[in-house]
Amino acid sequence: MAEYDFTNSQHRVAYAQELFMGALERDPFVQFQGATIDNIVVSIAETARDSSRSTIFLPMELMGLGVRADQLLDENMDEALFLPYDFKGGLITNAVPSPVGKVMDRTNLGLWRESIKPSLMKWFLKTTLQSKFYAISDHCTNIVSVKRDETIAKPSELAVGDVFDTSSIDEALKRAKNGYKNSDGVFYPPLIPYSIEKSNESGVEVYGDFYVMFVAPNSLRSLRNDPVYQDYQTRKAQSALSSAVRGFAGEYNGAILIEQPLITMVNGKVFKAGMLRSDSPAYTTAFGKSYDALDYYKAGDNTVTEVNFLLGCGACAMGFDLTPDYNEDTNYDSGRRVRAYIQSFFGFSKVRFMGESTKEKDSVYHDKDFGVIAIVQTIK
């Protein structure tokens, strides 16, 4: 063992967890993440997955009438149906070499190790977060686009001036609460709302059911210019929610607004992770999942649109390692340098159940986004 090696594997694990937790603290999705369908992001740790494939199970609504009076229970039992949703992931890995010129002692290596920690953490956050934004925005099945006269449209029917405002949120919330039937008679079921709780000295105070809405910068700017929104903010203070939700930008009629920046591309690569527009390019994740360019969301006059989204519980599925791997190769470059690397299993998918059996294909959830409504509006 070189004098600058980690003294044992526990130190490496602890260091990896520091990097991992640092990234999680900056990820706006993590606050809505958990192992059950009561979370917006249903997460599966490594103990529950099979190789590169993970599976979550979506409980369907019971539709029977139940038993009455003196009927026996088995005369009219309901059937609990759980729809499986499979998604894939893979290893995401990156490495950083130390400076060249000398074999580093323990002190120098410790300083270098601390200097690269922010870079590796930011890379891990950028890589995982951009995968999430592309997954959620990919070919959404329930899309809200509203024109200036408040008529419902398709993205291709939008034009300059059809910007994001309270009418956009109202339509998305109406669909989230009551479901939606399109012009072809296809029904999209309601979304499962998310409950926000706050602990205090009296126990748990529940603010109620909310839907989480991620909003891009131009859309939020347009919304704040809407007199209806301004009046709502004047009448209803939301400071209590602000302290509990990372990225909180406001609340409107039960929708928690979370502001996120737009994706920043430099030389064809993601410089900073963020939300997407109709001119966002195709993207391939670090574990090989490919997404199309988003030009199918562009307005009819080619005005750029932003893709905002409303999320309900069970909207997304994620597989990940509880303990990412961090290690250092002390023999790199003939022993002149040390190469540090981090790797972790990661998979993220928007839940869109695809039935196989006749009964599954008859489900109201077949071939539809389970908990995502996209709100596509122009930026000017």
Side-chain angles (χ1 to χ4, degrees), residues 190-211:
L191 273 58
I192 304 172
Y194 183 78
S195 294
I196 288 185
E197 300 177 347
K198 178 184 177 182
S199 298
N200 57 34
E201 62 277 5
S202 300
V204 177
E205 177 184 354
V206 181
Y207 288 114
D209 290 336
F210 290 84
Y211 296 95

Side-chain angles (χ1 to χ4, degrees), residues 125-162:
L125 175 64
K126 176 182 68 174
T127 300
T128 55
L129 194 54
Q130 199 56 63
S131 296
K132 295 175 183 180
F133 284 125
Y134 265 93
I136 293 173
S137 304
D138 182 46
H139 291 279
C140 290
T141 61
N142 194 347
I143 304 172
V144 169
S145 292
V146 183
K147 297 183 70 66
R148 277 173 291 182
D149 61 5
E150 299 189 3
T151 58
I152 310 304
K154 297 177 181 178
S156 60
E157 297 169 335
L158 297 175
V160 170
D162 296 330

Side-chain angles (χ1 to χ4, degrees), residues 4 7 22 51 88-89 95 127 129-130 134 191 206 216 250 258 278 292 318 325 360 363 369:
Y4 43 75
T7 55
S51 184
K88 293 184 178 182
T127 300
L129 194 54
Q130 199 56 63
Y134 265 93
L191 273 58
V206 181
I258 297 179
S278 58
D292 297 332
M318 185 178 76
D325 184 22
E360 289 174 344
S363 166
D369 294 340

Side-chain angles (χ1 to χ4, degrees), residues 24-25 27-33 40 194-200 204-208 210 212 214 238-251 256-258:
L24 293 184
E25 288 170 356
D27 185 332
F29 291 96
V30 169
Q31 60 195 318
F32 307 115
Q33 174 182 310
I40 290 173
Y194 183 78
S195 294
I196 288 185
E197 300 177 347
K198 178 184 177 182
S199 298
N200 57 34
V204 177
E205 177 184 354
V206 181
Y207 288 114
F210 290 84
V212 172
F214 281 71
Q238 297 297 323
S239 57
L241 283 176
S242 176
S243 63
V245 179
R246 191 181 310 151
F248 179 86
E251 185 270 339
I256 299 172
L257 309 178
I258 297 179

